[in-house]
Each structure stands twice: as C-alpha cells, then as structure tokens.
Amino acid sequence: MKGNRDFDQGHAKERIYLKTGEYLDFGIDSRTGRFEPGGKPSVGAFEFRDNRLLVSNFTTSSTYVIENLEGGIELVKVRPRQLRLAIPFEMSRVLIPSGENLTELTVFGSPLPLMEEGLSARAPIPPMVNVETTSKYFAVLVALCEPRLRGSSMAAVPSVQEVVERLRRSSQFRDANRSSINYHINYLADQKLPVSRWVKYMDEGRRHSKREALVAFALRFDIVREEHLNLL
C-alpha cells in the first residue's frame, strides 16, 4: 500500500502495516524464533519516515541481513548496534539470527521515486552491455540465473547439464546438449559480458567459474531480471 510498509512473517498469516511516522520495536522468542512486535527484550526496531523504511539493530553480537527479493543477490547488513539503516529495496527478506533459529520477515513497500525523464542526463553514458533478449545465448543466461531469481541469493548456480535439461522444454532448444550450452556460456563470458574485467572486484579477485561469474554479473547489473523468466 502506498505510503505504508507491511511485514509478513515467513509463512505466517499475520501481517503488520506500518504507516508514515510510526515506530515498531520487536523482540524474538528465544524458544521458537518467532517475531514478536513490542516483545521484550527489544532486539530491534522498524521506523517509516520520509518514504523510507529504517531498521535498527539493538543487539551487541548479531548481524541482520536484508535481501532484495527482486534483485537476486543484492543485500545489505545491519551490524550490531547500528541505528536507522534505510532499506533500499521495495520488496525485502529480513533475516534475524537468534540462537539456532533464523527468523524471516518479508517486507513490502511503496515504489521508490524515480527522476522524471526530462530531468535525466542529456548525454547518458553508453550501456555497459548490449544483449539481444530473443537470442539463444540470453536464454542460457536466464536459465543460469533462474534459481536465484526464484529463490534465494544463496541458491546454487545450475550445472551445464541442468541448463540443458531446463531448456530442452523449449522447441528452440530441443536438440540442446552440453557442447552447445557450453558454447553459449563461453560466448557470453568472452564476447558479450565484461566478466573477466569485472571479476577482479568480486571476492578480492578470486576466480569464479564462468557460470558463477556470469550469474553474479547479470544479476548485480540487472541484465537479467525477474520479467525475463517468461522467456524460458
């Protein structure tokens, strides 16, 4: 709802609406790991001000993780004792560790504001990549990204054989095999996406497999988005 943020605790039916200017502190049940609005002792708080949802971590040793449900691998961390961190996502999964439990909240909010087109830069920088979304190589890239777009940022990247089996459902890939899928993966990594130049910024330059690097790059820079899953 516009102007509000609402919270949904995992698979629970309870939903909490937070209006502009409202403040909600919370605790976590030590036995069940359940989120308790107004619970004591208070371990954190949500606050909605100036169209931004702010979250505070009142603990001394636990880091809260906020994942972007629309971005695949985007996340922010709320360190112990950190106050009023703005959540930059419209749809978020908030993970709160407590003992052996991991409390999960889903947070929905109003769309973030965009600059009017007429006010944007008149000489924009050229796009980093130019991909054809109707091509076979792009379908391969979407198949590689699918588990993280549909599930968690921690989902495993599909193997080449798994991509073959996934894409064979489409008439375009009826004759797909490991060799043809590897060809598209190599083409993406070597010709279409600047993965080799970018990977030095990821995990201190540790070399990832081409599949891992392609997925991380495509999701981080919004080359593959949830809407592209319809291509599979």
Side-chain angles (χ1 to χ4, degrees), residues 51-114:
N51 204 37
R52 297 187 304 165
L53 180 65
L54 310 176
V55 59
S56 296
N57 181 349
F58 298 159
T59 71
T60 58
S61 59
S62 296
T63 295
Y64 302 164
V65 174
I66 303 171
E67 298 178 335
N68 182 5
L69 287 177
E70 299 178 300
I73 60 172
E74 293 179 304
L75 59 84
V76 293
K77 297 179 180 180
V78 191
R79 301 190 308 274
R81 299 184 292 111
Q82 187 163 21
L83 301 177
R84 300 183 183 89
L85 176 74
I87 298 179
F89 312 129
E90 293 179 28
M91 296 177 58
S92 311
R93 178 190 291 115
V94 181
L95 301 175
I96 303 173
S98 175
E100 297 180 356
N101 297 305
L102 188 63
T103 301
E104 177 181 329
L105 304 174
T106 303
V107 180
F108 303 90
S110 53
L112 299 175
L114 296 176

Side-chain angles (χ1 to χ4, degrees), residues 14 16 23-28 35-45:
E14 180 182 10
I16 302 169
Y23 178 94
L24 174 72
D25 64 349
F26 62 88
I28 301 294
F35 175 79
E36 296 186 323
K40 302 297 181 183
S42 178
V43 298

Side-chain angles (χ1 to χ4, degrees), residues 28-228:
I28 301 294
D29 187 295
S30 59
R31 294 178 297 102
T32 65
R34 283 190 57 80
F35 175 79
E36 296 186 323
K40 302 297 181 183
S42 178
V43 298
F46 291 101
E47 187 176 357
F48 193 37
R49 295 188 181 279
D50 300 324
N51 204 37
R52 297 187 304 165
L53 180 65
L54 310 176
V55 59
S56 296
N57 181 349
F58 298 159
T59 71
T60 58
S61 59
S62 296
T63 295
Y64 302 164
V65 174
I66 303 171
E67 298 178 335
N68 182 5
L69 287 177
E70 299 178 300
I73 60 172
E74 293 179 304
L75 59 84
V76 293
K77 297 179 180 180
V78 191
R79 301 190 308 274
R81 299 184 292 111
Q82 187 163 21
L83 301 177
R84 300 183 183 89
L85 176 74
I87 298 179
F89 312 129
E90 293 179 28
M91 296 177 58
S92 311
R93 178 190 291 115
V94 181
L95 301 175
I96 303 173
S98 175
E100 297 180 356
N101 297 305
L102 188 63
T103 301
E104 177 181 329
L105 304 174
T106 303
V107 180
F108 303 90
S110 53
L112 299 175
L114 296 176
M115 178 185 292
E116 295 181 10
E117 289 189 12
L119 300 178
S120 58
R122 295 186 178 182
I125 59 176
M128 184 189 311
V129 296
N130 184 20
V131 295
E132 176 52 62
T133 59
T134 60
S135 65
K136 283 190 172 184
Y137 67 77
F138 189 75
V140 170
L141 184 60
V142 175
L144 287 170
C145 295
E146 182 180 25
R148 293 191 180 177
L149 282 174
R150 293 194 187 279
S152 165
S153 60
M154 298 298 292
V157 174
S159 67
V160 174
Q161 185 58 39
E162 288 173 331
V163 174
V164 170
E165 294 170 359
R166 176 69 177 93
L167 292 178
R168 273 181 178 170
R169 305 175 193 177
S170 166
S171 59
Q172 188 181 26
F173 286 91
R174 187 172 294 119
D175 298 323
N177 54 42
R178 291 175 59 88
S179 178
S180 63
I181 296 303
N182 268 320
Y183 171 82
H184 291 301
I185 289 174
N186 289 330
Y187 177 68
L188 283 162
D190 299 335
Q191 303 294 327
K192 296 302 294 184
L193 306 183
V195 170
S196 60
R197 283 175 284 165
W198 171 75
V199 76
K200 65 181 180 181
Y201 298 107
M202 188 171 63
D203 293 347
E204 298 180 350
R206 181 175 70 86
R207 182 63 182 175
H208 290 242
S209 73
K210 285 185 179 180
R211 289 178 294 106
E212 290 176 320
L214 284 169
V215 169
F217 184 91
L219 293 178
R220 183 161 297 185
F221 292 100
D222 281 344
I223 295 167
V224 175
R225 302 180 295 278
E226 189 173 0
E227 65 202 60
H228 293 131

